[in-house]
Amino acid sequence: MTDIKIPLRDMRFAMRELLDWDQHYASLGYEEATPDLVDAILEEGSKFCENVLAPLNQIGDQQGCTWKDGEVTTPEGFKEAYQQFVEAGWPSLAHDPHHGGQGLPPSLGTVMSEMVGTANWSWGMYPGLSHGAMNTLEAHGTDEQKDTYLTKLVEGTWTGTMCLTEPHCGTDLGILRTKAEPNADGSYAISGTKIFISAGEHDMAENIVHIVLARLPDAPAGTKGISLFIVPKFLPNADGSIGERNGVACGSLEHKMGIHGNATAVLNFDGAKGYLIGPPNKGLNCMFTFMNTARLGTALQGLAHAEAGFQKSLAYAKDRLQMRSLSGPKNPDGAADPIIVHPDVRRMLLTQKAFAEGGRMLILLCAQQVDRLQKGSDEDKKEADELLAFLTPIAKAFLTETGFESANLGMQCFGGHGYIAEWGMEQNVRDARISTIYEGTTGIQALDLLGRKVLMTQGESLRRFTKMVHKFCQAEIDTEALAPYVTKLQELNKQWGELTMHVGAKAMENPDEVGAASVDYLMYSGYAVEAFLWARAAKVANDKLAAGEGEAEFYRAKLATARFYFDRILPRTATHAAAMQSGADNLMELDAEHFAF
């Protein structure tokens, strides 16, 4: 049960038929991103992921990473797979040709990341963290820094990390203690300890470039006194080769619930030489370039675990014989019917399918905005930036929550066998669990969405999205086949605005109302965003069937899944709405001393 098949047909549906990426690329001037080239990337990428990475997934979980005297060895086959990855040019796919990149759209890099993550999430974190480091350097590094570090990162010879968390502080970066003392040569001596550093130490690349938050001696307190630094594992020589070992060492590896194939390191910086990125005391602003990349990358993790769990539980449900169908035997020559005939198994499978395919649509919609940010007109960039700011916390939190739900449902389909390691389902659950925590927990993303993105803009970011929904509904209001979707979308769109006003009004009297409503608000928003995308998908499928184009069974399956989503999943919004409207009092009235007696 280790086989993974990259869902190329559904990926092409979302890319081309739903979001019209061919026209999108042409309009932005990505001349090389022709349909033929995109197809070649999909085909070759899927082969690498299916044949090289997927077979290493369970090995990585079983062997884990090993630490000895500060050095980390990755699981069997990981290093060799990475060399193949680099030799094929995958790290450079969507980066600036000036630094050795291929100059293809960032969205194609996102598609490749989905394939890698579905096949082997732990392995994919090693090159995945590098994307954030590269984006941060591209946005905030000096020309010299780019020439020194970016070229090596783009080609994949070096990898990158993000070093934020410290033993005494997680999300609250305002209290971090890592120090940066100026050196005579213009560099800085970085001292402190960082924890939970994914891919922080390993044997897959010749150098690791750490992007580190630290405080200058005269820095103001809180988040306004944080600066950002490049701290390489090995200091580069003038010719670009690696030189002496820097003062950063891996003190240990964390013992984790999942993602065992990735090294989650404790890093000790002992006067390590570092170089300032961006202005002093503006490190958190610069770091958000990395964080936004990481948040979308983590949203991909939710999708990856939903897809992997769905594929394996679907194959099992078709094969496993258990009981007879309530409506009569479906496999009369066998001892029992395959469990896929049972309604509750179908509920679990369809939930996974709806979340995987809906999550893919949302991820690729976000990826499309990243393309616009890179090469669009000024107006295009502004629109894309505002839409992406609204969608990012939704994508990160909603897709990881539903991805974890899907992983659990996949395991449940196996019954007792799902609890046994050899089938890979319990690994998928363990690996998925971290996704709702790192890069900002669901609660943090919810506060960002409701507090910063919606209420602090007086609802403008929400109205920008709900206008898109309204225009779709107005255009399709007379399309009989879409009436069930349009009617529910209109109701949802109206309620979304009303709930926002309700929470906003209560928050003016009591700020705790924002925190009390935020997670329910985010989940409501996630279901609403995916409902919009599923309605659009239903329109595409309906139009194709009406025109007699393409694979009829594929489009009928898409319509059936859209109907399931609207009938069985979307009603969850009613519970979230009721919870939001119940207010903060039921959360805050109990004294801390009285939680237990």
Side-chain angles (χ1 to χ4, degrees):
M1 294 298 295
T2 58
D3 291 342
I4 285 290
K5 288 294 181 186
I6 302 302
L8 293 181
R9 179 64 187 90
D10 197 67
M11 294 173 84
R12 288 187 173 105
F13 171 84
M15 293 164 62
R16 289 197 167 125
E17 298 175 65
L18 183 77
L19 298 172
D20 196 10
W21 276 19
D22 292 337
Q23 174 57 34
H24 163 72
Y25 289 157
S27 70
L28 293 178
Y30 286 111
E31 297 176 0
E32 292 187 4
T34 62
D36 286 346
L37 180 64
V38 171
D39 278 336
I41 289 170
L42 290 174
E43 294 292 339
E44 291 305 312
S46 65
K47 290 176 185 175
F48 175 76
C49 293
E50 291 170 0
N51 299 327
V52 178
L53 297 186
L56 297 175
N57 188 42
Q58 205 162 28
I59 293 171
D61 183 61
Q62 292 167 348
Q63 294 184 2
C65 295
T66 55
W67 177 95
K68 184 178 181 181
D69 298 330
E71 301 294 329
V72 172
T73 303
T74 51
E76 177 185 332
F78 270 45
K79 182 176 181 179
E80 291 77 13
Y82 186 73
Q83 293 309 310
Q84 290 183 52
F85 186 74
V86 171
E87 288 167 8
W90 292 117
S92 66
L93 186 71
H95 290 281
D96 190 342
H98 182 70
H99 297 289
Q102 299 175 47
L104 291 168
S107 56
L108 274 182
T110 299
V111 171
M112 185 63 191
S113 294
E114 182 199 334
M115 293 193 284
V116 167
T118 301
N120 189 332
W121 183 262
S122 291
W123 185 94
M125 291 176 70
Y126 291 100
L129 269 294
S130 295
H131 291 304
M134 287 185 266
N135 291 342
T136 303
L137 281 165
E138 284 177 345
H140 307 292
T142 64
D143 289 341
E144 182 181 0
Q145 289 171 345
K146 291 176 184 179
D147 289 342
T148 301
Y149 297 98
L150 203 49
T151 301
K152 294 289 188 179
L153 286 165
V154 166
E155 71 183 19
T157 307
W158 298 354
T159 61
T161 74
M162 170 173 61
C163 299
L164 286 76
T165 307
E166 300 182 5
H168 64 284
C169 71
T171 302
D172 188 0
L173 294 172
I175 59 174
L176 70 79
R177 298 172 185 159
T178 299
K179 297 177 181 179
E181 300 281 349
N183 292 323
D185 63 359
S187 66
Y188 295 81
I190 311 297
S191 298
T193 296
K194 299 289 184 177
I195 63 171
F196 303 159
I197 309 306
S198 300
E201 175 62 29
H202 58 81
D203 59 355
M204 288 166 57
E206 67 179 29
N207 200 4
I208 303 173
V209 181
H210 303 293
I211 307 296
V212 184
L213 288 179
R215 290 188 181 281
L216 295 168
D218 58 350
T223 57
K224 294 181 180 179
I226 299 174
S227 299
L228 191 63
F229 300 87
I230 304 168
V231 186
K233 176 181 174 179
F234 292 97
L235 294 167
N237 294 318
D239 63 359
S241 62
I242 59 171
E244 66 180 89
R245 180 73 185 256
N246 204 356
V248 53
C250 178
S252 64
L253 294 179
E254 306 289 359
H255 299 280
K256 303 170 295 182
M257 176 180 179
I259 57 171
H260 294 154
N262 192 267
T264 304
V266 174
L267 294 180
N268 298 317
F269 296 86
D270 185 13
K273 183 169 285 192
Y275 305 90
L276 184 68
I277 308 177
N281 304 323
K282 296 294 182 182
L284 207 55
N285 304 64
C286 298
M287 179 57 84
F288 268 109
T289 302
F290 205 138
M291 285 296 293
N292 287 331
T293 302
R295 284 172 176 171
L296 288 175
T298 307
L300 266 174
Q301 183 176 4
L303 166 57
H305 293 305
E307 178 64 40
F310 170 60
Q311 285 193 25
K312 292 183 179 185
S313 58
L314 175 61
Y316 185 81
K318 290 178 176 179
D319 184 64
R320 173 71 170 178
L321 302 182
Q322 191 97 359
M323 303 188 298
R324 289 295 185 189
S325 167
L326 296 175
S327 55
K330 302 298 187 290
N331 179 36
D333 296 329
D337 290 331
I339 62 173
I340 197 170
V341 307
H342 303 309
D344 192 56
V345 174
R346 284 174 167 257
R347 173 190 63 82
M348 293 188 286
L349 291 172
L350 279 165
T351 300
Q352 295 174 75
K353 177 178 170 64
F355 283 145
E357 293 177 11
R360 182 169 296 113
M361 291 186 275
L362 176 52
I363 284 286
L364 297 185
L365 175 64
C366 291
Q368 198 168 32
Q369 310 318 307
V370 177
D371 291 345
R372 295 172 68 200
L373 274 172
Q374 185 177 87
K375 294 198 71 170
S377 64
D378 289 344
E379 182 180 354
D380 211 36
K381 288 179 180 178
K382 182 176 183 296
E383 287 180 4
D385 187 45
E386 291 169 347
L387 181 57
L388 194 59
F390 176 72
L391 290 176
T392 295
I394 297 173
K396 192 280 175 185
F398 183 77
L399 294 190
T400 55
E401 291 287 349
T402 56
F404 183 58
E405 177 185 345
S406 296
N408 275 294
L409 289 173
M411 181 173 165
Q412 188 76 6
C413 286
F414 278 71
H417 289 292
Y419 202 63
I420 305 302
E422 67 191 74
W423 296 90
M425 301 307 286
E426 58 85 35
Q427 179 193 341
N428 196 47
V429 172
R430 288 186 288 103
D431 288 352
R433 186 61 187 89
I434 186 60
S435 65
T436 65
I437 297 174
Y438 58 15
E439 315 311 341
T441 63
T442 299
I444 292 298
Q445 303 300 325
L447 284 173
D448 179 43
L449 174 67
L450 179 56
R452 293 181 66 244
K453 303 298 171 56
V454 176
L455 296 181
M456 286 179 66
T457 66
Q458 286 77 51
E460 180 57 34
S461 61
L462 173 65
R463 284 192 295 273
R464 189 177 298 109
F465 190 83
T466 55
K467 282 178 184 177
M468 293 167 56
V469 179
H470 177 72
K471 287 180 180 178
F472 172 81
C473 291
Q474 288 299 105
E476 304 301 331
I477 197 165
D478 294 324
T479 306
E480 185 177 353
L482 299 181
Y485 311 112
V486 170
T487 300
K488 288 182 181 178
L489 265 182
Q490 287 177 318
E491 294 170 358
L492 200 67
N493 223 30
K494 182 173 180 289
Q495 186 185 42
W496 202 356
E498 292 170 348
L499 288 168
T500 304
M501 292 178 65
H502 172 82
V503 174
K506 294 183 76 173
M508 292 178 71
E509 300 175 5
N510 179 6
D512 276 339
E513 293 289 346
V514 178
S518 58
V519 169
D520 286 294
Y521 186 89
L522 185 143
M523 295 303 291
Y524 182 104
S525 301
Y527 289 118
V529 169
E530 284 206 358
F532 171 54
L533 292 168
W534 270 113
R536 289 177 58 182
K539 171 181 166 48
V540 173
N542 184 66
D543 289 350
K544 292 288 186 179
L545 287 169
E549 298 177 1
E551 308 151 67
E553 291 303 320
F554 175 86
Y555 296 118
R556 279 194 278 269
K558 191 64 70 176
L559 284 172
T561 311
R563 178 185 171 189
F564 172 85
Y565 183 86
F566 270 76
D567 290 351
R568 288 262 177 172
I569 302 293
L570 197 56
R572 296 182 185 187
T573 54
T575 301
H576 291 297
M580 274 185 264
Q581 291 170 312
S582 75
D585 289 349
N586 51 35
L587 296 176
M588 308 307 294
E589 66 180 355
L590 186 62
D591 290 341
E593 295 77 16
H594 298 158
F595 268 77
F597 292 91

